[in-house]
Amino acid sequence: MKINVALVGNPNVGKTSLLNHIAGTTLRVGNWAGTTVEKKEGKAFYKGYEIYLVDLPGIYSLEPFSEAEQVARDYLLSQKPDVVVNVLETPNMERDLLLTAELLEMEIPTVIALNMLDEARRLGIEVDKEKLSELLGIKVVQTNGRTGEGKRELLEAIIQTYEQKIKPFPLKYSQTLEEYLSKVEGNTKFEKIRKSQELYGEDFDKLLKDERFAFAHGLFYKVVKKVNQGAFELTDSLDKLLLHPVFGLFFFLFLMFFMFKIAFDFSAPWMEWLDGFMNNFISPLIVYLLGESLFSRFLSEAVVGGVGFVLTFLPLIASILFILSLLEFSGYLPRVAFLMDGLMHRFGLHGTGFIPLLLGFGCNVPAIMASRVMETKRDKLLVLAMVPFMSCPARLVVFSFFAVLFFPNPALVIFLLYLFGVSVAFLTSFFLQKLVYRGSLHHMILELPPYRLPALKLVLRITWAHVKHFIYRAGTLIFAVSVILWAMLNLPPGVSNPKDSFAGYVGRALVPIFKPMGLEDWQITTSLIPAFLAREIVLSSMAVIYSVEEGKKEEFEPRKALQEQGVAFANALKESVLNLLNPMPKALEVKEEHSQLKSAIKNSMNPAQALAFMVFILLYTSCLGTVAVLQKEGGTKFALLFLAYSFVVAWVSGVIVYKLMNLLVG
Amino acid sequence: MLEKVEVGKKVKVLDIEGKEDSLRKLQAMGIRKGKVLEVVQKLGRSIVVKVDHSKIAISKGLAQKIKVQ
């Protein structure tokens, strides 16, 4: 037997923690279909029932202020869950009871979970749950999302409510309001109210609002006893520092530096090791075991080289999402929005946008995943359209190669490129606000929840849920695209020179498009095709296409290779720890490679072409990982439109840079 | 007006003017007529108030519409 349960409650009341305790490892994250609102779900098996729980977005009311309320309302009306669990933050019960009133109007089986029991105790707040249960006619349980206390009682209450179809007593409002309602038809109070709203308009609305508030207020005073007035609240003391205009900002910048450093420096050695493990061990092992054939090459190049390559980002994604979840569940994140609001508002964004944009300099993929902290759809999409222009280390690899080769002061060129990327990001946001998201930035309303020590298990599980989702993506979308890329380079069968492959043909067909920016060599345009996987690949694919660097074919010996991997693993462990101890961020350092390719490129390009090429690489979203997460967060249409947009912007900028350079240099 | 209240002061909400969604949301969040608000911090164009046990950051433009005593 299956029971469908919806968790409904205000934001930050601990619904997710509660779900985590009940659902355990079955917890999954995704998006509500067709929206940018995050969806969490899981299930539990209890007393022969399969209890499926879905965590509806945190809302203060069912009135549709934004996408979140719309999603919750639609779910309740169309999916008709068997039982609704209304989760309340006990210390803020009076506020939370407004949503309770709206849920009671729907007259569906409901259970009330009084959460944050520990916080309420500390604040000296006592709730008479028996009385609350008697007054409303439904089960009331007390829970603690942090420890899982009350989980069993909640499951029991869900099953009893389901078996006995326990519906709340019909809500009684004042005589005036009830008279309005008696004049319309409807199965539930909710339906009658909806019809009355249409019929009577504003006066009715105002009356209804006041009645609901009065209900919440009255109920609150009937069941809540405050035994300890003016209890000490740690959050207030912390906020004196952390919201301080000077100290708070300083603390935030320090925290960001720390986050950047831990995430990137800690994961860099692991990413390098994974990369080596895929390319120097798994790949040759496949060929060693299966022999040299088209199929073994497909496995080692398309599967390991493509999907495996994207999977090397996992340590980075995991570390960033871990830190981000820590910040989120600790309650600090909304404070960032408050602190950075002054700066970000100038660009028409809310303060929270600062975090994903900054992370973008480290890697676009987790930065885009971090956009989930944005409060509204508009803000989220704006940030999504900006992050990919933040230049990441993968681009730096390409820039340093070309800048050192062609310019006397490469550092300045690279700095200007970074600056140019940031400008394009803000211009994009500016035009989007003018054209698509018209109307001024709506008012900031943000709850700053109390600081809470996040449960490590919860943070780890949420991180894992996101990592799992990314692996799923790597196995589907990323796999499909890397197979296509591989096929283009290796078909028709028996092709040995890239010139004769499909990629070579496409590359030559692309030449007229790239001619305005001075790129007339089919070798360069062809190298852009495999580089769709990730930008830095453009260098190695150029090396192959210019056939200057024959891959050094060493005899593969599984035992020796395994030993080497073991040593490399130990080194990665050592280095990641050492990196943490080093005060300077190492994420932005670049290693020198491809010495032979340099002379080949030097002969076939001039500085103007090189600069145009770098600008193109900077702006065009030539990164499969980024496109894959863009599709997850913003939808397929958004991802494809953005990809096309970035190509056009990159092309136009490349052409302008090329023409300007030619004018200046002569 | 709430916008003008100094940091650390407590005031009572007299009225909330306007019918915009953001004002309705504020009321759903607990800033209702008769409630006592404490101004916790002000920075740039935003202001943080405490009502019961929750803190809410709002823009000053919105705070202008909240009449307090």
Side-chain angles (χ1 to χ4, degrees), chain A residues 585-633:
Chain A
K586 293 180 89 172
L588 303 176
E589 286 175 15
V590 176
K591 289 198 198 81
E592 284 287 319
E593 265 174 296
H594 301 292
S595 50
Q596 281 165 293
L597 180 62
K598 282 190 174 153
S599 50
I601 296 286
K602 185 110 193 172
N603 290 332
S604 60
M605 267 195 195
N606 63 31
Q609 289 166 322
L611 193 65
F613 183 73
M614 282 192 281
V615 166
F616 182 79
I617 286 286
L618 164 73
L619 300 177
Y620 169 49
T621 316
S622 177
C623 172
L624 185 53
T626 303
V627 177
V629 285
L630 267 182
Q631 191 244 341
K632 188 225 157 194
E633 299 295 340

Side-chain angles (χ1 to χ4, degrees), chain A residues 10 60-61 63-65 69 89 91-92 94-96 98 123 125 202 205-206 209 213 216-217 226 233 235-236 239-240 243-245 335 338-339 341-342 345 350 441-450, chain B residues 7-8 15-16 18-35 38 40-65:
Chain A
N10 290 14
Y60 298 98
S61 157
E63 277 187 64
F65 300 129
E69 290 87 9
E89 181 186 356
N92 278 312
E94 184 177 355
R95 178 198 71 191
D96 291 28
L98 170 73
L123 293 167
I125 295 166
E202 224 170 82
D205 248 6
K206 194 173 176 317
K209 196 179 76 188
F213 287 150
H217 189 74
K226 192 150 184 186
E233 289 186 55
T235 294
D236 288 350
D239 270 343
K240 288 223 165 68
L243 292 182
H244 191 272
R335 268 95 181 164
F338 171 72
L339 289 168
D341 194 60
H345 183 67
H350 283 304
L441 182 60
H442 57 244
H443 293 297
M444 175 172 79
I445 306 178
L446 207 59
E447 193 189 347
L448 311 181
Chain B
V7 173
D15 199 11
I16 295 173
K19 292 184 294 265
E20 305 151 44
D21 269 359
S22 36
L23 288 170
R24 295 172 75 105
K25 185 171 176 185
L26 266 190
Q27 294 180 55
M29 289 173 83
I31 299 184
R32 297 165 194 169
K33 211 194 262 189
K35 281 280 173 192
E38 182 189 341
V40 176
Q41 189 58 270
K42 284 173 156 181
L43 178 66
R45 51 167 212 123
S46 19
I47 175 170
V48 177
V49 295
K50 188 175 174 188
V51 51
D52 291 334
H53 294 288
S54 73
K55 286 202 184 93
I56 305 170
I58 54 178
S59 50
K60 284 186 178 162
L62 214 53
Q64 275 174 3
K65 294 177 180 157

Side-chain angles (χ1 to χ4, degrees), chain A residues 226-258:
Chain A
K226 192 150 184 186
V227 287
N228 180 4
Q229 288 287 338
F232 171 73
E233 289 186 55
L234 181 65
T235 294
D236 288 350
S237 316
L238 277 174
D239 270 343
K240 288 223 165 68
L241 288 174
L242 300 186
L243 292 182
H244 191 272
V246 180
F247 182 83
L249 214 56
F250 195 72
F251 177 83
F252 168 65
L253 292 178
F254 178 75
L255 197 72
M256 280 314 285
F257 171 78
F258 214 66

Side-chain angles (χ1 to χ4, degrees), chain A residues 10 33 50 55 101 140 152 170 208 284 370 430 475 480 535-536 563 626 634:
Chain A
N10 290 14
E50 180 191 334
D55 186 4
V140 177
R152 199 155 295 269
L208 175 70
F430 178 78
R535 291 174 171 95
E536 66 263 46
Q563 259 172 14
T626 303

